[in-house]
Amino acid sequence: MVTNVMIVGVGGQGSLLASKLLGQVVLKKGFDVKVSEVHGMSQRGGSVVTYVRWGDTVSSPIIDKGEADYIISFELLEAARYIGYLKKGGTVIVNSQRLDPMPVLTGAAEYPEGLEEKMRNAGANVDEMDALAVAMQAGSAKSANIALMGRFSKYYKDISEEEWLSALADCVKPQFLELNKKAFALGRNN
C-alpha cells in the first residue's frame, strides 16, 4: 500500500521544509519514499505543490487526480484549488489563513467564500486550524508550517512524536529547533 500526501501553499510559507520533514520521518521508518516539488511562481507568492509518496515500493513521485490520501494546505484557497486530487473520503488539513492572490489584491476578483463547505461537499474530511495563531503562540509566524505538520502527525499513530521530533532535528537549523518543536507540539495537541 502506498500513502499519497500533497502539500500545497504559496511561495514563502515553508511547504518545502514540511515535505522534507515528512519525507525524513517516513524514510527513518524504513519506507520507500518519493518526493516531487513543483515550485511554479513560488518566489512571487504563486502556488507551490509537493507530492510525498511512501510505502513498501513506490515507482513514481507524482500523485494523479483522485489519489491523494491527504492534502496539507497552508492556505484555504490553495486547498480548494487542489481538492480534485483528493480521493473520496480523504482528509484536508488546512490552515484557515487567507492570503489574497494578485487578482484579489488588485480588485479584479473577490476571495471566494464558503470554501470549507465546498470541500466537504466534494467528499473531503476537512480538518481546519488557525496555524498562524498556533505559530504565534510558539513564538514565530514562520513556524505555521510545522504547526500544520504537528496536526498531520496525529493521523499516524505508528509514528511517535519522538520520531517526528528526531526528523525535525534533522531538517531545521539548531538555532530554530526549539521554536519548531514548540510549534509542532502545539499543532499536534491543538
Side-chain angles (χ1 to χ4, degrees), residues 10-12 16 38-48:
V10 296
L16 300 181
V38 180
H39 298 272
M41 291 291 290
S42 61
Q43 293 172 340
R44 299 190 188 267
S47 190
V48 178

Side-chain angles (χ1 to χ4, degrees), residues 25-179:
V25 76
V26 295
L27 184 64
K28 282 185 162 191
K29 290 296 281 187
F31 289 106
D32 182 20
V33 182
K34 301 288 187 283
V35 178
S36 177
E37 301 164 352
V38 180
H39 298 272
M41 291 291 290
S42 61
Q43 293 172 340
R44 299 190 188 267
S47 190
V48 178
V49 181
T50 305
Y51 306 108
V52 182
R53 303 183 74 220
W54 71 89
D56 292 332
T57 303
V58 179
S59 57
S60 168
I62 303 300
I63 298 171
D64 289 325
K65 286 190 175 184
E67 287 187 345
D69 297 292
Y70 296 92
I71 295 176
I72 304 167
S73 181
F74 298 165
E75 198 275 333
L76 195 53
L77 186 57
E78 291 301 310
R81 181 187 318 267
Y82 290 101
I83 199 68
Y85 285 85
L86 192 69
K87 70 180 184 182
K88 291 289 183 196
T91 299
V92 177
I93 299 151
V94 61
N95 182 4
S96 59
Q97 182 180 11
R98 291 173 39 161
L99 294 175
D100 291 340
M102 193 54 67
V104 173
L105 290 172
T106 62
E110 290 185 22
Y111 196 97
E113 297 296 327
L115 293 174
E116 301 93 330
E117 183 180 337
K118 289 176 184 175
M119 289 188 286
R120 285 185 183 97
N121 290 341
N125 297 312
V126 179
D127 182 356
E128 184 178 0
M129 73 178 283
D130 185 345
L132 181 59
V134 172
M136 293 303 291
Q137 186 179 353
S140 172
K142 291 183 178 185
S143 65
N145 58 341
I146 302 302
L148 275 171
M149 294 308 292
R151 175 65 70 95
F152 173 72
S153 74
K154 292 176 16 174
Y155 289 90
Y156 283 91
K157 305 292 187 219
D158 59 335
I159 301 175
S160 70
E161 186 170 359
E162 293 75 25
E163 288 170 309
W164 280 98
L165 294 176
S166 174
L168 185 62
D170 293 339
C171 296
V172 301
K173 293 179 181 175
Q175 65 265 36
F176 301 117
L177 183 57
E178 288 309 311
L179 165 74

